Amino acid sequence: MKILSYLLSSIFGLVFFSLLLIFHPLQWLGLKLFGQEGHQKVVNIMNWFLIKSLLILGIRVQFESKQELPENTTLIFVANHQSTFDIPPIIWYLRRHYPKFVSKKELGKGIPSISFNLKHGGAALIDRKDAKQALSELGRFAKSINKNKWSAAIFPEGTRSRTGKPKPFSVNGLKMIVKYNPEAFVVPISINNSWKVFKYGKFPLGIGSPIKIRTHKPIKVDSLPFDELITKVETTIKEAIY
């Protein structure tokens, strides 16, 4: 199986990075010609292709969302974090809600398509070594999603789990987003198996394990005190991780 993964990983890597190179200028065109809406449509299509490229590795993405999500309001998607491949399904399957990510600022440069989207698509790029910058950027981000009726997507663990076992949540970023979006809903999301893509390391990639993502019942931000809200969200997410 590992020998096969070397071959498939090489093909996947070529396809994956080709998609990033192809969609980089398309994002630029979408933004220049049609503004934010045009850019977002290109980003959505790109992430559909990135999801489908995982089929080269024998990996299907199963997205389960049985709960009706509120429309025309800000949602705060809170998820555990297992790998890079957590992100394309959230962008594609939740595209109606315009999810914008909280990310480390290092990703905002040097990566075709991804860096362009983070810089021009409404994300928050924070410096983990500069608390003042991080708080200022999160405040700007929180006001922006409120104004535009976008949604936030945040991984409170801070870094991805390399074994699938959830890490403790850090709540500072979430607290800032909630502060400026008191009318919003928090939507817990549980992600399973995406860590297995990197179970051997960066190369070769793991093959054949489906990535399973599940949304849970939305929780109104102002329905609970913040500490109780976070506890409920964290418990809901972690109970569905296996």
PDB file of all heavy atoms in Angstrom, residues 77-109:
ATOM      1  N   PHE A  77     -17.997  29.415  12.012  1.00  0.00           N
ATOM      2  CA  PHE A  77     -17.710  27.986  11.912  1.00  0.00           C
ATOM      3  C   PHE A  77     -16.477  27.668  12.756  1.00  0.00           C
ATOM      4  O   PHE A  77     -15.404  28.232  12.526  1.00  0.00           O
ATOM      5  CB  PHE A  77     -17.480  27.584  10.459  1.00  0.00           C
ATOM      6  CG  PHE A  77     -18.681  27.804   9.574  1.00  0.00           C
ATOM      7  CD1 PHE A  77     -18.691  28.805   8.613  1.00  0.00           C
ATOM      8  CD2 PHE A  77     -19.808  27.008   9.703  1.00  0.00           C
ATOM      9  CE1 PHE A  77     -19.800  29.010   7.805  1.00  0.00           C
ATOM     10  CE2 PHE A  77     -20.928  27.197   8.904  1.00  0.00           C
ATOM     11  CZ  PHE A  77     -20.918  28.209   7.951  1.00  0.00           C
ATOM     12  N   VAL A  78     -16.657  26.795  13.722  1.00  0.00           N
ATOM     13  CA  VAL A  78     -15.577  26.423  14.638  1.00  0.00           C
ATOM     14  C   VAL A  78     -15.308  24.937  14.465  1.00  0.00           C
ATOM     15  O   VAL A  78     -16.206  24.113  14.656  1.00  0.00           O
ATOM     16  CB  VAL A  78     -15.950  26.734  16.096  1.00  0.00           C
ATOM     17  CG1 VAL A  78     -14.798  26.380  17.034  1.00  0.00           C
ATOM     18  CG2 VAL A  78     -16.318  28.215  16.252  1.00  0.00           C
ATOM     19  N   ALA A  79     -14.085  24.588  14.093  1.00  0.00           N
ATOM     20  CA  ALA A  79     -13.771  23.192  13.783  1.00  0.00           C
ATOM     21  C   ALA A  79     -12.464  22.746  14.419  1.00  0.00           C
ATOM     22  O   ALA A  79     -11.576  23.567  14.684  1.00  0.00           O
ATOM     23  CB  ALA A  79     -13.681  23.006  12.263  1.00  0.00           C
ATOM     24  N   ASN A  80     -12.355  21.442  14.639  1.00  0.00           N
ATOM     25  CA  ASN A  80     -11.042  20.872  14.958  1.00  0.00           C
ATOM     26  C   ASN A  80     -10.202  20.879  13.688  1.00  0.00           C
ATOM     27  O   ASN A  80     -10.732  20.999  12.578  1.00  0.00           O
ATOM     28  CB  ASN A  80     -11.185  19.462  15.529  1.00  0.00           C
ATOM     29  CG  ASN A  80     -11.818  18.493  14.552  1.00  0.00           C
ATOM     30  OD1 ASN A  80     -12.936  18.715  14.053  1.00  0.00           O
ATOM     31  ND2 ASN A  80     -11.130  17.400  14.256  1.00  0.00           N
ATOM     32  N   HIS A  81      -8.902  20.764  13.840  1.00  0.00           N
ATOM     33  CA  HIS A  81      -8.011  20.930  12.694  1.00  0.00           C
ATOM     34  C   HIS A  81      -7.072  19.739  12.583  1.00  0.00           C
ATOM     35  O   HIS A  81      -6.311  19.456  13.509  1.00  0.00           O
ATOM     36  CB  HIS A  81      -7.202  22.219  12.883  1.00  0.00           C
ATOM     37  CG  HIS A  81      -6.502  22.690  11.646  1.00  0.00           C
ATOM     38  ND1 HIS A  81      -6.869  22.306  10.373  1.00  0.00           N
ATOM     39  CD2 HIS A  81      -5.446  23.541  11.492  1.00  0.00           C
ATOM     40  CE1 HIS A  81      -6.080  22.900   9.495  1.00  0.00           C
ATOM     41  NE2 HIS A  81      -5.202  23.646  10.139  1.00  0.00           N
ATOM     42  N   GLN A  82      -7.144  19.045  11.437  1.00  0.00           N
ATOM     43  CA  GLN A  82      -6.314  17.856  11.249  1.00  0.00           C
ATOM     44  C   GLN A  82      -5.344  17.958  10.087  1.00  0.00           C
ATOM     45  O   GLN A  82      -4.299  17.313  10.110  1.00  0.00           O
ATOM     46  CB  GLN A  82      -7.216  16.622  11.073  1.00  0.00           C
ATOM     47  CG  GLN A  82      -8.026  16.279  12.313  1.00  0.00           C
ATOM     48  CD  GLN A  82      -8.734  14.943  12.207  1.00  0.00           C
ATOM     49  OE1 GLN A  82      -8.767  14.317  11.149  1.00  0.00           O
ATOM     50  NE2 GLN A  82      -9.308  14.498  13.300  1.00  0.00           N
ATOM     51  N   SER A  83      -5.671  18.739   9.056  1.00  0.00           N
ATOM     52  CA  SER A  83      -4.740  18.855   7.928  1.00  0.00           C
ATOM     53  C   SER A  83      -5.155  20.007   7.029  1.00  0.00           C
ATOM     54  O   SER A  83      -6.216  20.611   7.187  1.00  0.00           O
ATOM     55  CB  SER A  83      -4.705  17.557   7.112  1.00  0.00           C
ATOM     56  OG  SER A  83      -5.751  17.522   6.161  1.00  0.00           O
ATOM     57  N   THR A  84      -4.307  20.266   6.035  1.00  0.00           N
ATOM     58  CA  THR A  84      -4.585  21.273   5.006  1.00  0.00           C
ATOM     59  C   THR A  84      -5.911  20.987   4.306  1.00  0.00           C
ATOM     60  O   THR A  84      -6.600  21.915   3.869  1.00  0.00           O
ATOM     61  CB  THR A  84      -3.460  21.257   3.944  1.00  0.00           C
ATOM     62  OG1 THR A  84      -2.212  21.405   4.609  1.00  0.00           O
ATOM     63  CG2 THR A  84      -3.639  22.352   2.919  1.00  0.00           C
ATOM     64  N   PHE A  85      -6.269  19.703   4.213  1.00  0.00           N
ATOM     65  CA  PHE A  85      -7.450  19.321   3.448  1.00  0.00           C
ATOM     66  C   PHE A  85      -8.750  19.475   4.226  1.00  0.00           C
ATOM     67  O   PHE A  85      -9.816  19.072   3.743  1.00  0.00           O
ATOM     68  CB  PHE A  85      -7.260  17.901   2.912  1.00  0.00           C
ATOM     69  CG  PHE A  85      -6.069  17.794   2.012  1.00  0.00           C
ATOM     70  CD1 PHE A  85      -4.915  17.152   2.431  1.00  0.00           C
ATOM     71  CD2 PHE A  85      -6.076  18.372   0.759  1.00  0.00           C
ATOM     72  CE1 PHE A  85      -3.797  17.076   1.608  1.00  0.00           C
ATOM     73  CE2 PHE A  85      -4.969  18.304  -0.071  1.00  0.00           C
ATOM     74  CZ  PHE A  85      -3.824  17.663   0.359  1.00  0.00           C
ATOM     75  N   ASP A  86      -8.671  20.083   5.412  1.00  0.00           N
ATOM     76  CA  ASP A  86      -9.889  20.491   6.120  1.00  0.00           C
ATOM     77  C   ASP A  86     -10.530  21.682   5.416  1.00  0.00           C
ATOM     78  O   ASP A  86     -11.745  21.886   5.507  1.00  0.00           O
ATOM     79  CB  ASP A  86      -9.567  20.919   7.560  1.00  0.00           C
ATOM     80  CG  ASP A  86      -8.928  19.831   8.387  1.00  0.00           C
ATOM     81  OD1 ASP A  86      -9.099  18.646   8.051  1.00  0.00           O
ATOM     82  OD2 ASP A  86      -8.263  20.157   9.389  1.00  0.00           O
ATOM     83  N   ILE A  87      -9.712  22.479   4.738  1.00  0.00           N
ATOM     84  CA  ILE A  87     -10.146  23.800   4.284  1.00  0.00           C
ATOM     85  C   ILE A  87     -10.985  23.782   2.998  1.00  0.00           C
ATOM     86  O   ILE A  87     -12.067  24.380   2.962  1.00  0.00           O
ATOM     87  CB  ILE A  87      -8.923  24.728   4.148  1.00  0.00           C
ATOM     88  CG1 ILE A  87      -8.289  24.917   5.533  1.00  0.00           C
ATOM     89  CG2 ILE A  87      -9.311  26.075   3.544  1.00  0.00           C
ATOM     90  CD1 ILE A  87      -6.944  25.588   5.531  1.00  0.00           C
ATOM     91  N   PRO A  88     -10.545  23.106   1.910  1.00  0.00           N
ATOM     92  CA  PRO A  88     -11.364  23.131   0.689  1.00  0.00           C
ATOM     93  C   PRO A  88     -12.819  22.687   0.879  1.00  0.00           C
ATOM     94  O   PRO A  88     -13.726  23.327   0.318  1.00  0.00           O
ATOM     95  CB  PRO A  88     -10.597  22.194  -0.258  1.00  0.00           C
ATOM     96  CG  PRO A  88      -9.169  22.326   0.176  1.00  0.00           C
ATOM     97  CD  PRO A  88      -9.247  22.422   1.674  1.00  0.00           C
ATOM     98  N   PRO A  89     -13.096  21.625   1.662  1.00  0.00           N
ATOM     99  CA  PRO A  89     -14.509  21.259   1.826  1.00  0.00           C
ATOM    100  C   PRO A  89     -15.334  22.327   2.543  1.00  0.00           C
ATOM    101  O   PRO A  89     -16.515  22.514   2.226  1.00  0.00           O
ATOM    102  CB  PRO A  89     -14.449  19.971   2.669  1.00  0.00           C
ATOM    103  CG  PRO A  89     -13.081  19.425   2.430  1.00  0.00           C
ATOM    104  CD  PRO A  89     -12.210  20.625   2.293  1.00  0.00           C
ATOM    105  N   ILE A  90     -14.727  23.022   3.508  1.00  0.00           N
ATOM    106  CA  ILE A  90     -15.460  24.081   4.206  1.00  0.00           C
ATOM    107  C   ILE A  90     -15.783  25.214   3.234  1.00  0.00           C
ATOM    108  O   ILE A  90     -16.902  25.739   3.212  1.00  0.00           O
ATOM    109  CB  ILE A  90     -14.644  24.592   5.415  1.00  0.00           C
ATOM    110  CG1 ILE A  90     -14.590  23.511   6.496  1.00  0.00           C
ATOM    111  CG2 ILE A  90     -15.263  25.873   5.985  1.00  0.00           C
ATOM    112  CD1 ILE A  90     -13.717  23.861   7.690  1.00  0.00           C
ATOM    113  N   ILE A  91     -14.822  25.573   2.394  1.00  0.00           N
ATOM    114  CA  ILE A  91     -15.068  26.641   1.419  1.00  0.00           C
ATOM    115  C   ILE A  91     -16.148  26.232   0.419  1.00  0.00           C
ATOM    116  O   ILE A  91     -17.076  27.001   0.138  1.00  0.00           O
ATOM    117  CB  ILE A  91     -13.768  26.992   0.677  1.00  0.00           C
ATOM    118  CG1 ILE A  91     -12.753  27.624   1.641  1.00  0.00           C
ATOM    119  CG2 ILE A  91     -14.058  27.949  -0.497  1.00  0.00           C
ATOM    120  CD1 ILE A  91     -11.399  27.906   1.009  1.00  0.00           C
ATOM    121  N   TRP A  92     -16.064  25.003  -0.106  1.00  0.00           N
ATOM    122  CA  TRP A  92     -17.002  24.591  -1.153  1.00  0.00           C
ATOM    123  C   TRP A  92     -18.389  24.292  -0.603  1.00  0.00           C
ATOM    124  O   TRP A  92     -19.390  24.843  -1.089  1.00  0.00           O
ATOM    125  CB  TRP A  92     -16.469  23.369  -1.903  1.00  0.00           C
ATOM    126  CG  TRP A  92     -17.480  22.794  -2.858  1.00  0.00           C
ATOM    127  CD1 TRP A  92     -18.151  21.608  -2.735  1.00  0.00           C
ATOM    128  CD2 TRP A  92     -17.976  23.401  -4.055  1.00  0.00           C
ATOM    129  NE1 TRP A  92     -19.023  21.429  -3.782  1.00  0.00           N
ATOM    130  CE2 TRP A  92     -18.928  22.534  -4.614  1.00  0.00           C
ATOM    131  CE3 TRP A  92     -17.699  24.600  -4.710  1.00  0.00           C
ATOM    132  CZ2 TRP A  92     -19.607  22.823  -5.786  1.00  0.00           C
ATOM    133  CZ3 TRP A  92     -18.379  24.884  -5.891  1.00  0.00           C
ATOM    134  CH2 TRP A  92     -19.320  24.001  -6.421  1.00  0.00           C
ATOM    135  N   TYR A  93     -18.489  23.444   0.397  1.00  0.00           N
ATOM    136  CA  TYR A  93     -19.803  23.008   0.859  1.00  0.00           C
ATOM    137  C   TYR A  93     -20.553  24.087   1.637  1.00  0.00           C
ATOM    138  O   TYR A  93     -21.786  24.038   1.733  1.00  0.00           O
ATOM    139  CB  TYR A  93     -19.670  21.749   1.719  1.00  0.00           C
ATOM    140  CG  TYR A  93     -19.309  20.525   0.908  1.00  0.00           C
ATOM    141  CD1 TYR A  93     -18.021  20.002   0.928  1.00  0.00           C
ATOM    142  CD2 TYR A  93     -20.258  19.894   0.101  1.00  0.00           C
ATOM    143  CE1 TYR A  93     -17.685  18.879   0.174  1.00  0.00           C
ATOM    144  CE2 TYR A  93     -19.932  18.783  -0.658  1.00  0.00           C
ATOM    145  CZ  TYR A  93     -18.638  18.278  -0.615  1.00  0.00           C
ATOM    146  OH  TYR A  93     -18.306  17.176  -1.364  1.00  0.00           O
ATOM    147  N   LEU A  94     -19.826  25.054   2.166  1.00  0.00           N
ATOM    148  CA  LEU A  94     -20.472  26.139   2.915  1.00  0.00           C
ATOM    149  C   LEU A  94     -20.376  27.461   2.154  1.00  0.00           C
ATOM    150  O   LEU A  94     -20.464  28.535   2.756  1.00  0.00           O
ATOM    151  CB  LEU A  94     -19.832  26.257   4.301  1.00  0.00           C
ATOM    152  CG  LEU A  94     -19.993  25.014   5.178  1.00  0.00           C
ATOM    153  CD1 LEU A  94     -19.158  25.138   6.451  1.00  0.00           C
ATOM    154  CD2 LEU A  94     -21.463  24.772   5.530  1.00  0.00           C
ATOM    155  N   ARG A  95     -20.231  27.376   0.840  1.00  0.00           N
ATOM    156  CA  ARG A  95     -19.988  28.564   0.024  1.00  0.00           C
ATOM    157  C   ARG A  95     -21.120  29.580   0.083  1.00  0.00           C
ATOM    158  O   ARG A  95     -20.887  30.784  -0.102  1.00  0.00           O
ATOM    159  CB  ARG A  95     -19.708  28.165  -1.428  1.00  0.00           C
ATOM    160  CG  ARG A  95     -20.865  27.445  -2.125  1.00  0.00           C
ATOM    161  CD  ARG A  95     -20.407  26.826  -3.442  1.00  0.00           C
ATOM    162  NE  ARG A  95     -21.486  26.127  -4.139  1.00  0.00           N
ATOM    163  CZ  ARG A  95     -21.876  24.892  -3.846  1.00  0.00           C
ATOM    164  NH1 ARG A  95     -21.297  24.225  -2.859  1.00  0.00           N
ATOM    165  NH2 ARG A  95     -22.857  24.325  -4.532  1.00  0.00           N
ATOM    166  N   ARG A  96     -22.322  29.142   0.348  1.00  0.00           N
ATOM    167  CA  ARG A  96     -23.455  30.072   0.445  1.00  0.00           C
ATOM    168  C   ARG A  96     -23.284  31.061   1.589  1.00  0.00           C
ATOM    169  O   ARG A  96     -23.912  32.122   1.614  1.00  0.00           O
ATOM    170  CB  ARG A  96     -24.757  29.294   0.643  1.00  0.00           C
ATOM    171  CG  ARG A  96     -25.210  28.521  -0.579  1.00  0.00           C
ATOM    172  CD  ARG A  96     -26.396  27.632  -0.262  1.00  0.00           C
ATOM    173  NE  ARG A  96     -27.537  28.389   0.241  1.00  0.00           N
ATOM    174  CZ  ARG A  96     -28.650  27.817   0.707  1.00  0.00           C
ATOM    175  NH1 ARG A  96     -28.755  26.488   0.734  1.00  0.00           N
ATOM    176  NH2 ARG A  96     -29.646  28.552   1.139  1.00  0.00           N
ATOM    177  N   HIS A  97     -22.419  30.705   2.533  1.00  0.00           N
ATOM    178  CA  HIS A  97     -22.231  31.538   3.727  1.00  0.00           C
ATOM    179  C   HIS A  97     -20.917  32.320   3.708  1.00  0.00           C
ATOM    180  O   HIS A  97     -20.569  32.971   4.692  1.00  0.00           O
ATOM    181  CB  HIS A  97     -22.313  30.660   4.970  1.00  0.00           C
ATOM    182  CG  HIS A  97     -23.574  29.857   5.045  1.00  0.00           C
ATOM    183  ND1 HIS A  97     -24.783  30.398   5.423  1.00  0.00           N
ATOM    184  CD2 HIS A  97     -23.829  28.552   4.752  1.00  0.00           C
ATOM    185  CE1 HIS A  97     -25.718  29.476   5.384  1.00  0.00           C
ATOM    186  NE2 HIS A  97     -25.170  28.343   4.973  1.00  0.00           N
ATOM    187  N   TYR A  98     -20.182  32.241   2.614  1.00  0.00           N
ATOM    188  CA  TYR A  98     -18.947  33.019   2.432  1.00  0.00           C
ATOM    189  C   TYR A  98     -17.972  32.881   3.606  1.00  0.00           C
ATOM    190  O   TYR A  98     -17.609  33.878   4.246  1.00  0.00           O
ATOM    191  CB  TYR A  98     -19.282  34.505   2.224  1.00  0.00           C
ATOM    192  CG  TYR A  98     -20.188  34.764   1.033  1.00  0.00           C
ATOM    193  CD1 TYR A  98     -21.568  34.903   1.210  1.00  0.00           C
ATOM    194  CD2 TYR A  98     -19.670  34.843  -0.253  1.00  0.00           C
ATOM    195  CE1 TYR A  98     -22.404  35.123   0.120  1.00  0.00           C
ATOM    196  CE2 TYR A  98     -20.500  35.072  -1.345  1.00  0.00           C
ATOM    197  CZ  TYR A  98     -21.864  35.210  -1.141  1.00  0.00           C
ATOM    198  OH  TYR A  98     -22.684  35.430  -2.232  1.00  0.00           O
ATOM    199  N   PRO A  99     -17.530  31.678   3.920  1.00  0.00           N
ATOM    200  CA  PRO A  99     -16.603  31.516   5.054  1.00  0.00           C
ATOM    201  C   PRO A  99     -15.248  32.163   4.778  1.00  0.00           C
ATOM    202  O   PRO A  99     -14.649  31.956   3.730  1.00  0.00           O
ATOM    203  CB  PRO A  99     -16.475  29.995   5.195  1.00  0.00           C
ATOM    204  CG  PRO A  99     -16.801  29.452   3.839  1.00  0.00           C
ATOM    205  CD  PRO A  99     -17.815  30.384   3.251  1.00  0.00           C
ATOM    206  N   LYS A 100     -14.772  32.950   5.742  1.00  0.00           N
ATOM    207  CA  LYS A 100     -13.461  33.592   5.680  1.00  0.00           C
ATOM    208  C   LYS A 100     -12.626  33.062   6.844  1.00  0.00           C
ATOM    209  O   LYS A 100     -13.105  32.999   7.973  1.00  0.00           O
ATOM    210  CB  LYS A 100     -13.603  35.118   5.777  1.00  0.00           C
ATOM    211  CG  LYS A 100     -14.594  35.716   4.781  1.00  0.00           C
ATOM    212  CD  LYS A 100     -14.155  35.499   3.344  1.00  0.00           C
ATOM    213  CE  LYS A 100     -15.170  36.078   2.355  1.00  0.00           C
ATOM    214  NZ  LYS A 100     -14.778  35.854   0.952  1.00  0.00           N
ATOM    215  N   PHE A 101     -11.382  32.750   6.566  1.00  0.00           N
ATOM    216  CA  PHE A 101     -10.568  32.029   7.536  1.00  0.00           C
ATOM    217  C   PHE A 101      -9.665  32.928   8.363  1.00  0.00           C
ATOM    218  O   PHE A 101      -9.199  33.973   7.895  1.00  0.00           O
ATOM    219  CB  PHE A 101      -9.713  30.976   6.824  1.00  0.00           C
ATOM    220  CG  PHE A 101     -10.486  29.777   6.391  1.00  0.00           C
ATOM    221  CD1 PHE A 101     -11.257  29.801   5.231  1.00  0.00           C
ATOM    222  CD2 PHE A 101     -10.489  28.619   7.154  1.00  0.00           C
ATOM    223  CE1 PHE A 101     -11.996  28.697   4.840  1.00  0.00           C
ATOM    224  CE2 PHE A 101     -11.223  27.507   6.770  1.00  0.00           C
ATOM    225  CZ  PHE A 101     -11.979  27.549   5.612  1.00  0.00           C
ATOM    226  N   VAL A 102      -9.417  32.486   9.589  1.00  0.00           N
ATOM    227  CA  VAL A 102      -8.367  33.049  10.421  1.00  0.00           C
ATOM    228  C   VAL A 102      -7.128  32.193  10.183  1.00  0.00           C
ATOM    229  O   VAL A 102      -7.145  30.982  10.396  1.00  0.00           O
ATOM    230  CB  VAL A 102      -8.750  33.032  11.911  1.00  0.00           C
ATOM    231  CG1 VAL A 102      -7.593  33.543  12.766  1.00  0.00           C
ATOM    232  CG2 VAL A 102     -10.006  33.868  12.150  1.00  0.00           C
ATOM    233  N   SER A 103      -6.049  32.828   9.726  1.00  0.00           N
ATOM    234  CA  SER A 103      -4.863  32.082   9.323  1.00  0.00           C
ATOM    235  C   SER A 103      -3.605  32.779   9.823  1.00  0.00           C
ATOM    236  O   SER A 103      -3.617  33.973  10.133  1.00  0.00           O
ATOM    237  CB  SER A 103      -4.830  31.975   7.793  1.00  0.00           C
ATOM    238  OG  SER A 103      -3.673  31.327   7.329  1.00  0.00           O
ATOM    239  N   LYS A 104      -2.508  32.047   9.887  1.00  0.00           N
ATOM    240  CA  LYS A 104      -1.237  32.661  10.236  1.00  0.00           C
ATOM    241  C   LYS A 104      -0.733  33.463   9.044  1.00  0.00           C
ATOM    242  O   LYS A 104      -0.917  33.074   7.884  1.00  0.00           O
ATOM    243  CB  LYS A 104      -0.216  31.608  10.669  1.00  0.00           C
ATOM    244  CG  LYS A 104       0.086  30.522   9.660  1.00  0.00           C
ATOM    245  CD  LYS A 104       1.037  29.495  10.262  1.00  0.00           C
ATOM    246  CE  LYS A 104       1.369  28.395   9.249  1.00  0.00           C
ATOM    247  NZ  LYS A 104       2.278  27.372   9.830  1.00  0.00           N
ATOM    248  N   LYS A 105      -0.072  34.576   9.331  1.00  0.00           N
ATOM    249  CA  LYS A 105       0.280  35.516   8.269  1.00  0.00           C
ATOM    250  C   LYS A 105       1.297  34.933   7.289  1.00  0.00           C
ATOM    251  O   LYS A 105       1.370  35.389   6.142  1.00  0.00           O
ATOM    252  CB  LYS A 105       0.801  36.822   8.856  1.00  0.00           C
ATOM    253  CG  LYS A 105       2.201  36.775   9.418  1.00  0.00           C
ATOM    254  CD  LYS A 105       2.693  38.186   9.739  1.00  0.00           C
ATOM    255  CE  LYS A 105       4.186  38.187  10.045  1.00  0.00           C
ATOM    256  NZ  LYS A 105       4.698  39.556  10.233  1.00  0.00           N
ATOM    257  N   GLU A 106       2.073  33.927   7.697  1.00  0.00           N
ATOM    258  CA  GLU A 106       3.054  33.326   6.803  1.00  0.00           C
ATOM    259  C   GLU A 106       2.425  32.755   5.542  1.00  0.00           C
ATOM    260  O   GLU A 106       3.079  32.653   4.498  1.00  0.00           O
ATOM    261  CB  GLU A 106       3.836  32.229   7.526  1.00  0.00           C
ATOM    262  CG  GLU A 106       4.787  32.727   8.603  1.00  0.00           C
ATOM    263  CD  GLU A 106       4.100  32.962   9.941  1.00  0.00           C
ATOM    264  OE1 GLU A 106       2.860  32.831  10.023  1.00  0.00           O
ATOM    265  OE2 GLU A 106       4.814  33.266  10.912  1.00  0.00           O
ATOM    266  N   LEU A 107       1.153  32.350   5.644  1.00  0.00           N
ATOM    267  CA  LEU A 107       0.470  31.773   4.482  1.00  0.00           C
ATOM    268  C   LEU A 107       0.016  32.833   3.487  1.00  0.00           C
ATOM    269  O   LEU A 107      -0.454  32.504   2.406  1.00  0.00           O
ATOM    270  CB  LEU A 107      -0.726  30.942   4.937  1.00  0.00           C
ATOM    271  CG  LEU A 107      -0.417  29.721   5.808  1.00  0.00           C
ATOM    272  CD1 LEU A 107      -1.696  29.011   6.204  1.00  0.00           C
ATOM    273  CD2 LEU A 107       0.518  28.757   5.084  1.00  0.00           C
ATOM    274  N   GLY A 108       0.156  34.097   3.866  1.00  0.00           N
ATOM    275  CA  GLY A 108      -0.296  35.183   3.011  1.00  0.00           C
ATOM    276  C   GLY A 108       0.681  35.565   1.920  1.00  0.00           C
ATOM    277  O   GLY A 108       0.443  36.535   1.190  1.00  0.00           O
ATOM    278  N   LYS A 109       1.779  34.832   1.790  1.00  0.00           N
ATOM    279  CA  LYS A 109       2.722  35.134   0.719  1.00  0.00           C
ATOM    280  C   LYS A 109       3.427  33.860   0.257  1.00  0.00           C
ATOM    281  O   LYS A 109       3.668  32.942   1.033  1.00  0.00           O
ATOM    282  CB  LYS A 109       3.760  36.157   1.187  1.00  0.00           C
ATOM    283  CG  LYS A 109       4.536  35.752   2.419  1.00  0.00           C
ATOM    284  CD  LYS A 109       5.474  36.868   2.869  1.00  0.00           C
ATOM    285  CE  LYS A 109       6.226  36.471   4.145  1.00  0.00           C
ATOM    286  NZ  LYS A 109       7.116  37.539   4.603  1.00  0.00           N
TER     287      LYS A 109
END
